[in-house]
């Protein structure tokens, strides 16, 4: 999990590159370049041609819009970013005045992020609480100590994390979030497909990840069924490249759902239903 923290830098690097496309950018993150050092751009360059950079841009926009829609439609005011990494949404999005955002990640990562943002003079646009924990252990008690109320509906954002976990760890995490979710809670999450984890198409990319100590371990070809098995009802499932997730640099064709192509991945909004 500590090695996965380096992937927070490649996410920041990809967001910086998208921001610097100017008028063509599908979102803006003015802090991203400063948060990408020291390895973010190196990791992107190493995996050039994998589709990683436009995928991160598409995923970022999808979750930005999901956050805005869920908060507007459901009145949720408690938001938790699990393995928040170098994400800067509390500093760049518009939030309700009475919202609270909890950013959960390793202490060293949050400390470095705090230092860099302070040097930029960045100010959060929402009540923001850092929750510095060891994500490999039980961390919900520390979240509650920071002010989180499991009796209130929550929006959980789990971005760019599940594919680094074993299937058992991914399932345990989503069930754990469910155990702390009141009725009306939501989840924003992304998956890769099992087909991608097996495909010769992605072999070099996966080998590169393994060499960096961050192998992709978990995927699902049936995100709706998988989420239902852990207490979440998928309400919106998109594949990068669909009209609502378009990006001019996305090079992979969207295929019918009955075909499991090697580049398939999923962007999902899900509602907590229990079970």
């Amino acid at each position: 999990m500590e090695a996965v923290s380096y992937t927070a830098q490649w996410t920041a690097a990809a967001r910086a590159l998208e921001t610097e496309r100017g008028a063509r950018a599908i979102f803006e993150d003015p802090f991203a370049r400063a948060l990408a050092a020291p390895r973010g751009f190196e990791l992107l360059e190493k995996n050039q041609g994998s589709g990683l950079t436009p995928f991160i841009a598409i995923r970022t926009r999808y979750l930005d819009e999901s956050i805005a829609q869920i908060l507007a439609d459901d009145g949720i005011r408690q938001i938790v970013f699990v393995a928040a990494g170098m994400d800067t949404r509390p500093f760049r999005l518009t939030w309700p005045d009475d919202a609270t955002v909890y950013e959960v990640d390793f202490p060293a990562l949050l400390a470095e992020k705090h230092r860099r943002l302070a040097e930029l003079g960045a100010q959060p646009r929402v009540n923001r609480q850092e929750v510095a924990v060891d994500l490999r252990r039980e961390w919900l008690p520390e979240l509650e100590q920071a002010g989180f109320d499991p009796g209130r509906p929550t929006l959980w954002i789990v971005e760019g994390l599940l594919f680094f976990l074993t299937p058992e760890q991914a399932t345990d995490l989503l069930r754990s979030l469910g155990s702390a979710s009141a009725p009306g809670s939501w989840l924003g999450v992304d998956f890769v497909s099992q087909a991608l984890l097996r495909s010769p198409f992605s072999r070099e990319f996966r080998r590169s990840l393994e060499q960096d100590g961050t192998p992709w371990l978990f995927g699902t070809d049936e995100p709706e069924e998988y989420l239902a098995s852990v207490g979440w009802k998928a309400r919106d499932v998109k594949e990068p490249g669909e009209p609502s997730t378009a990006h001019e640099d996305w090079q992979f064709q969207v295929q019918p759902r009955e075909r499991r192509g090697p580049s398939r991945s999923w962007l999902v909004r899900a509602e907590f239903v229990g079970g």
Side-chain angles (χ1 to χ4, degrees):
M1 282 296 295
E2 289 184 7
V4 170
S5 296
Y6 280 115
T7 70
Q9 296 174 3
W10 87 23
T11 299
R15 288 174 174 161
L17 293 177
E18 180 64 25
T19 299
E20 291 160 9
R21 287 180 356 114
R24 296 182 298 157
I26 60 175
F27 65 86
E28 291 185 5
D29 185 346
F31 311 106
R33 180 165 283 275
L35 296 177
R39 296 195 62 199
F41 294 101
E42 168 197 331
L43 291 167
L44 283 187
E45 181 68 24
K46 184 177 180 180
N47 295 294
Q48 197 171 34
S50 66
L52 182 62
T53 301
F55 172 72
I56 291 173
I58 291 168
R59 183 180 70 192
T60 299
R61 173 66 176 267
Y62 178 85
L63 290 175
D64 283 0
E65 293 179 342
S66 296
I67 291 166
Q69 181 176 337
I70 291 169
L71 267 57
D73 292 350
D74 294 81
I76 291 176
R77 295 297 181 265
Q78 184 168 251
I79 304 93
V80 181
F81 290 88
V82 181
M86 292 298 184
D87 181 79
T88 65
R89 289 186 176 96
F91 297 83
R92 64 179 182 82
L93 296 185
T94 300
W95 298 89
D97 291 339
D98 54 345
T100 299
V101 167
Y102 298 90
E103 292 196 86
V104 182
D105 216 316
F106 286 105
L109 186 147
L110 287 176
E112 180 62 16
K113 179 178 176 179
H114 181 91
R115 183 188 68 79
R116 296 188 193 188
L117 288 170
E119 288 181 351
L120 296 172
Q123 295 295 324
R125 299 180 176 184
V126 63
N127 179 24
R128 171 179 175 264
Q129 301 296 322
E130 295 180 354
V131 184
V133 296
D134 186 336
L135 287 164
R136 297 165 296 190
R137 298 182 173 86
E138 174 59 46
W139 51 267
L140 286 173
E142 286 93 334
L143 181 62
E144 291 190 40
Q145 290 172 14
F148 173 82
D149 182 357
R152 297 172 57 202
T154 302
L155 170 56
W156 305 92
I157 301 296
V158 183
E159 181 180 18
L161 175 63
L162 292 186
F163 30 76
F164 294 112
L165 306 183
T166 66
E168 294 77 17
Q169 289 169 333
T171 296
D172 287 348
L173 173 63
L174 294 180
R175 285 182 173 154
S176 180
L177 301 187
S179 74
S181 292
S185 293
W186 283 80
L187 170 70
V189 65
D190 63 307
F191 300 95
V192 297
S193 66
Q194 274 288 337
L196 182 64
L197 298 182
R198 296 189 299 262
S199 172
F201 166 84
S202 61
R203 184 179 295 122
E204 288 304 315
F205 175 59
R206 288 182 282 118
R207 183 177 293 122
S208 174
L209 293 174
E210 291 170 6
Q211 290 172 349
D212 287 336
T214 56
W216 281 7
L217 303 172
F218 170 68
T220 177
D221 290 332
E222 304 292 346
E224 296 94 340
E225 289 83 350
Y226 172 71
L227 284 167
S229 74
V230 291
W232 298 90
K233 174 69 173 178
R235 300 297 189 188
D236 184 67
V237 179
K238 291 289 191 300
E239 182 180 351
E242 292 187 32
S244 60
T245 61
H247 191 288
E248 61 194 41
D249 292 337
W250 186 249
Q251 57 187 303
F252 307 108
Q253 183 179 4
V254 178
Q255 299 176 336
R257 286 295 299 269
E258 62 270 16
R259 295 181 59 192
R260 302 304 176 192
S263 64
R264 192 175 291 273
S265 53
W266 314 104
L267 305 168
V268 183
R269 290 196 294 268
E271 186 176 8
F272 178 65
V273 293

